[in-house]
Amino acid sequence: MRKASLRFTMLVFLIALVFQSTPTNAATATYADRLYSPMFITKISGLYFITDSWNHRILYSRDVKLPISQWKVLDDYIAAPHSIAGNGTIFITEDTGRDRLIVYTLTTKGFVRTQAIGGITGRPHRTIYDPATQKFYVLTSDTQNMYTLSVKDGHVVIDSKKNLPYMEASYVRSFSIIDGLMYFVSGPNQILVANYKDGTFSLQQKYDVPEGYRAMNDIKKIGNYYYITVYYNQFIRLKDLSDFSTAENLYTKMGFKGVPYYMSYFDGKVYVTEIDSYSAIRSFKVYNDEISKIDVMHDYGPPNAAVLNRKKILGT
């Protein structure tokens, strides 16, 4: 009887251990099994990258639909990265909470962290690589500085640092390159358009943004429309930036439940990340300005205790 009882007790213990250690759904999963405010998704040289911002890590995979627990970890001790950009060999991301940039080099043996560039004060917030100029551009959201970086002999160097006074000390989350110009959202209640190729970042155009749209996250030109994500909870498109009365809100149509954040385009689809109160990545196709095939690539819902605790370990 004692042996049988012991065996039964051990069996119950093992079953309980399995159920305790194996996530059953997104609500109970550990932070490593889910996303928390994935600010950005992109594809570079055949690899997909996600900046899993409030989980303080960067993930990559060759399969965009692979469960997050099976993605490889590029870095898991980086303070709230917002985006990542690369030229195929050199990749740069923001260590936002620590005011620096991190550089990775893709070698024959995989990724190697090769540089940490400090002193990027004011929350480095968005990084873009521009093939036309073969340079990286980094915007700081708090201090309105634009850094231009280039690669020399495999080493990243800062070419210039320009303060953009036309932002009037506004918090600016992002910029995009559209038709050879740089578009900033939304600045001092304005979308600002600048010349960047000559290195001056001189202001070329500005569009007033009405109240209700001012806390913008990102802008992209797709077909005949400008698509814009807005904090809180708006995803709009319009053809003419000078007339926001024509803005179409796609938030409900897309099925968003959180804050639409950064956008990207690859594999013939537009990808939009969803952050804050709800973490997901959505995609859709656009043909002749018609939206179709709306899909949720990764859906992890509201934050649980595991990711909330993970967020606390570093600054955001």
Side-chain angles (χ1 to χ4, degrees), residues 14-305:
L14 289 172
I15 291 173
L17 185 63
V18 168
F19 277 95
Q20 182 180 10
S21 60
T22 304
T24 56
N25 55 52
T28 59
T30 67
Y31 90 86
D33 298 317
R34 56 181 291 155
L35 300 171
Y36 186 25
S37 286
M39 303 285 182
F40 187 58
I41 183 171
T42 189
K43 184 180 183 181
I44 308 170
S45 299
L47 291 173
Y48 301 94
F49 295 84
I50 297 174
T51 54
D52 189 14
S53 186
W54 290 353
N55 270 332
H56 305 298
R57 61 181 183 162
I58 298 173
L59 307 174
Y60 70 99
S61 171
R62 289 197 176 275
D63 182 355
V64 73
K65 292 188 175 182
L66 202 66
I68 288 302
S69 60
Q70 298 178 35
W71 284 53
K72 294 182 179 180
V73 178
L74 176 61
D75 202 328
D76 63 356
Y77 193 64
I78 182 167
H82 282 71
S83 64
I84 185 169
N87 64 4
T89 303
I90 300 295
F91 297 76
I92 301 178
T93 189
E94 314 89 13
D95 196 354
T96 300
R98 293 185 282 206
D99 283 346
R100 62 179 186 170
L101 304 174
I102 304 297
V103 180
Y104 310 91
T105 302
L106 181 57
T107 71
T108 56
K109 296 182 179 180
F111 285 99
V112 178
R113 185 194 251 204
T114 49
Q115 289 176 253
I117 303 173
I120 313 296
T121 56
R123 293 177 55 77
H125 210 278
R126 186 72 164 94
T127 303
I128 286 179
Y129 176 72
D130 176 42
T133 57
Q134 297 184 7
K135 293 182 183 295
F136 291 86
Y137 298 89
V138 179
L139 177 68
T140 57
S141 55
D142 264 347
T143 50
Q144 303 81 42
N145 290 323
M146 176 62 74
Y147 289 82
T148 303
L149 304 97
S150 60
V151 181
K152 296 181 180 179
D153 298 324
H155 191 80
V156 174
V157 297
I158 297 175
D159 295 327
S160 68
K161 169 188 171 184
K162 298 277 188 181
N163 183 258
L164 308 180
Y166 43 76
M167 290 185 179
E168 299 178 12
S170 301
Y171 192 89
V172 180
R173 293 186 176 94
S174 187
F175 66 99
S176 291
I177 295 173
I178 300 174
D179 298 331
L181 294 170
M182 210 169 260
Y183 283 63
F184 298 90
V185 290
S186 57
N189 303 326
Q190 294 172 328
I191 294 173
L192 304 164
V193 184
N195 184 7
Y196 74 98
K197 289 184 178 180
D198 61 359
T200 65
F201 300 95
S202 57
L203 187 64
Q204 302 296 303
Q205 182 64 279
K206 57 185 178 180
Y207 300 94
D208 291 333
V209 175
E211 188 175 356
Y213 297 120
R214 290 174 178 174
M216 292 180 174
N217 301 322
D218 201 8
I219 182 170
K220 288 286 182 289
K221 180 79 178 292
I222 305 165
N224 292 308
Y225 283 89
Y226 294 92
Y227 289 73
I228 300 171
T229 55
V230 183
Y231 226 125
Y232 279 91
N233 300 358
Q234 292 192 76
F235 181 48
I236 64 173
R237 70 173 185 174
L238 66 166
K239 291 182 178 181
D240 184 357
L241 292 177
S242 63
D243 185 7
F244 271 78
S245 68
T246 63
E248 176 187 3
N249 195 347
L250 303 171
Y251 188 89
T252 301
K253 179 177 182 177
M254 291 293 299
F256 284 112
K257 298 177 182 179
V259 177
Y261 208 69
Y262 286 162
M263 293 174 281
S264 50
Y265 182 86
F266 52 84
D267 294 346
K269 299 177 183 179
V270 181
Y271 288 77
V272 188
T273 59
E274 190 171 356
I275 70 162
D276 207 331
S277 59
Y278 198 99
S279 295
I281 298 175
R282 302 177 188 271
S283 68
F284 60 93
K285 288 193 172 185
V286 178
Y287 182 72
N288 287 338
D289 292 329
E290 293 294 323
I291 294 173
S292 65
K293 297 186 178 179
I294 299 170
D295 188 21
V296 184
M297 309 296 296
H298 299 283
D299 188 343
Y300 289 91
N304 65 2

